[in-house]
């Protein structure tokens, strides 16, 4: 790490204002465990979090933890999950790269560690009829799930690469309007926004239900990694990792088992993810929509570390992050130990 503590820009600092408040509660609302008797895991009701959805639904994660109770909380977007991690309300959480980078920066590299990859791909920009090319985007209103989340940074960085201004107040050549994913769907259907940069299954919902078209697949913006980019990875509270490495290792065993099962049983995995999503949201997802979302997404415990570095550079470029030294953010020894036991290749951080 660098000798100085990275400082968030004024725009990104807004994301840290609620560190002392409660984050979005999940099904049980029990909060962090603080002891080895339980582990509280965070995740989002998105198909880009399928390893969490499936691992919880099938009981794989709970079984891997043995006598340690698995508790859960769900979140709409990354900054809320980071706040909960800081507050000790969750011990580990599935999360996108940019909120993890922000959390690392906010804490001076002390609060969290990335312990595994989870998901690559499954995000992009969907637009309404009449927007046929990138050149048609200036003057439009586009949504993202939350200021500073992974998709928000991706859209702001793309706009900057085109030479467009887009401020955090919704002004500029391109108006970017952060909204919750459910609100994005409704706003698109009502014609209140022209498009959105969202993760699955919201991307496929905008296409299938809203008549939108995928203008930009984010995978096309990552040629240096062959189209692979981290959409979701698994992070842990640093204190919990230090105090309970065996519990974290058991969580990782369950995670590896879940990712393997998803890749070996895609149709059953889609059914399990759908069932869990419906239990969380009360809504129903059409099987063809889930299949489309899975087709756009890959699941891997490899953290695709070089895309994390790129994401940090993008956040810096759009003014949501001051330069930050990411050395030490990965703690992959436990994961690599599990992979070695299984006769698998190790994964790499920086």
């Amino acid at each position: 790490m660098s000798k100085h503590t990275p400082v968030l820009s004024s725009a990104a600092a807004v994301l840290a204002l609620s560190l002392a408040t409660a984050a979005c509660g999940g099904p049980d609302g029990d909060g962090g465990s603080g002891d080895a008797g339980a582990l509280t895991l965070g995740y989002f009701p998105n198909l880009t979090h399928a390893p969490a959805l499936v691992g919880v639904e099938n009981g794989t994660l709970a079984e891997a933890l043995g006598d340690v109770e698995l508790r859960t909380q769900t979140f709409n977007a990354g900054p809320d999950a980071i706040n909960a991690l800081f507050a000790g309300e969750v011990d580990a959480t599935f999360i996108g790269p940019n909120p993890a980078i922000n959390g690392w920066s906010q804490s001076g590299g002390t609060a969290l560690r990335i312990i595994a990859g989870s998901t690559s791909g499954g995000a992009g920009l969907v637009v309404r009829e009449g927007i046929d090319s990138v050149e048609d985007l200036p003057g439009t209103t586009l949504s993202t799930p939350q200021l500073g989340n992974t998709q928000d940074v991706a859209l702001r960085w793309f706009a900057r690469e085109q030479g467009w201004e887009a401020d955090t107040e919704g002004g500029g050549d391109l108006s970017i309007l952060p909204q919750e994913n459910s609100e994005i769907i409704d706003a698109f259907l009502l014609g209140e926004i022209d498009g959105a940069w969202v993760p699955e299954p919201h991307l496929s919902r905008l296409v299938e239900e809203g008549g939108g078209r995928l203008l930009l697949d984010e995978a096309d913006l990552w040629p240096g990694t062959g189209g692979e980019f981290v959409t979701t990875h698994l992070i842990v509270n640093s204190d919990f990792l230090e105090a309970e490495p065996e519990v974290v290792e058991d969580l990782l065993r369950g995670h590896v088992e879940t990712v393997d099962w998803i890749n070996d049983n895609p149709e059953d995995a889609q059914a399990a993810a759908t069932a869990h999503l419906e239990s969380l949201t009360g809504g129903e997802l059409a099987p063809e929509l889930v299949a489309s979302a899975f087709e756009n997404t890959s699941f891997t415990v490899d953290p695709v570390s070089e895309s994390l570095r790129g994401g940090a550079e993008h956040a810096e470029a759009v003014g949501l992050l001051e330069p930050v030294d990411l050395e030490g953010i990965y703690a992959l020894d436990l994961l690599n130990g599990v992979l070695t036991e299984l006769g698998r290749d190790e994964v790499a951080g920086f």
Side-chain angles (χ1 to χ4, degrees):
M1 282 178 54
S2 61
K3 295 182 181 179
H4 69 284
T5 300
V7 180
L8 285 178
S9 69
S10 57
V14 174
L15 306 179
L17 290 178
S18 59
L19 294 183
T21 63
C24 300
D28 52 41
D30 289 333
S33 60
D35 59 64
L39 180 147
T40 303
L41 179 69
Y43 58 100
F44 305 175
N46 295 340
L47 287 178
T48 51
H49 287 233
L53 303 175
V54 173
V56 173
E57 178 69 17
N58 287 356
T60 308
L61 298 178
E63 183 176 351
L65 288 172
D67 293 334
V68 175
E69 179 189 359
L70 176 66
R71 303 171 183 171
T72 61
Q73 287 199 47
T74 58
F75 302 92
N76 176 67
D80 291 333
I82 288 295
N83 290 344
L85 191 82
F86 280 7
E89 296 172 353
V90 297
D91 303 307
T93 186
F94 289 82
I95 199 168
N98 292 98
I101 293 167
N102 277 334
W104 174 262
S105 177
Q106 290 170 22
S107 68
T110 62
L112 63 86
R113 295 292 185 273
I114 300 169
I115 56 173
S118 173
T119 308
S120 170
L125 176 62
V126 177
V127 296
R128 62 168 171 76
E129 184 179 355
I131 299 176
D132 300 317
S133 68
V134 169
E135 288 72 24
D136 294 330
L137 292 175
T140 62
T141 297
L142 305 176
S143 284
T144 61
Q146 189 171 9
L147 175 64
N149 98 312
T150 301
Q151 289 76 47
D152 186 70
V153 169
L155 177 54
R156 293 177 190 279
W157 176 77
F158 178 79
R160 181 182 182 277
E161 289 293 289
Q162 309 310 306
W164 305 330
E165 296 288 338
D167 62 36
T168 57
E169 303 300 321
D173 302 309
L174 192 68
S175 179
I176 299 178
L177 176 64
Q179 302 181 92
E180 291 191 6
N181 286 309
S182 59
E183 294 175 347
I184 288 174
I185 302 297
D186 292 340
F188 189 76
L189 292 173
L190 292 171
E192 296 174 350
I193 59 174
D194 299 298
W197 200 300
V198 288
E200 293 288 7
H202 312 290
L203 185 154
S204 288
R205 285 193 65 191
L206 291 177
V207 173
E208 300 295 330
E209 300 173 11
R213 60 182 292 265
L214 182 63
L215 182 66
L216 292 168
D217 185 338
E218 191 172 340
D220 294 336
L221 307 182
W222 293 95
T225 56
E228 295 292 318
F229 64 99
V230 56
T231 306
T232 309
H233 48 208
L234 179 58
I235 67 173
V236 67
N237 179 289
S238 297
D239 291 339
F240 190 86
L241 175 62
E242 182 177 357
E244 306 295 346
E246 293 182 357
V247 175
V248 175
E249 184 175 22
D250 286 340
L251 176 66
L252 287 167
R253 291 183 193 281
H255 178 50
V256 171
E257 182 180 349
T258 300
V259 170
D260 287 347
W261 188 83
I262 290 173
N263 290 326
D264 292 340
N265 305 275
E267 292 185 0
D268 290 339
Q270 290 170 31
T274 299
H276 197 65
L277 269 179
E278 291 177 355
S279 73
L280 292 175
T281 67
E284 296 183 3
L285 288 175
E288 58 270 20
L289 187 151
V290 178
S292 173
F294 267 65
E295 185 177 349
N296 293 332
T297 310
S298 62
F299 304 103
T300 174
V301 297
D302 188 328
V304 198
S305 58
E306 284 309 306
S307 70
L308 183 77
R309 194 187 304 275
E313 293 171 353
H314 297 169
E316 292 169 15
V318 300
L320 291 179
L321 183 71
E322 293 295 333
V324 55
D325 187 347
L326 295 176
E327 291 300 323
I329 195 171
Y330 287 106
L332 302 173
D333 289 350
L334 292 178
L335 173 62
N336 282 329
V338 171
L339 293 175
T340 297
E341 289 176 1
L342 295 172
R344 306 261 288 276
D345 291 337
E346 294 186 352
V347 298
F350 297 142

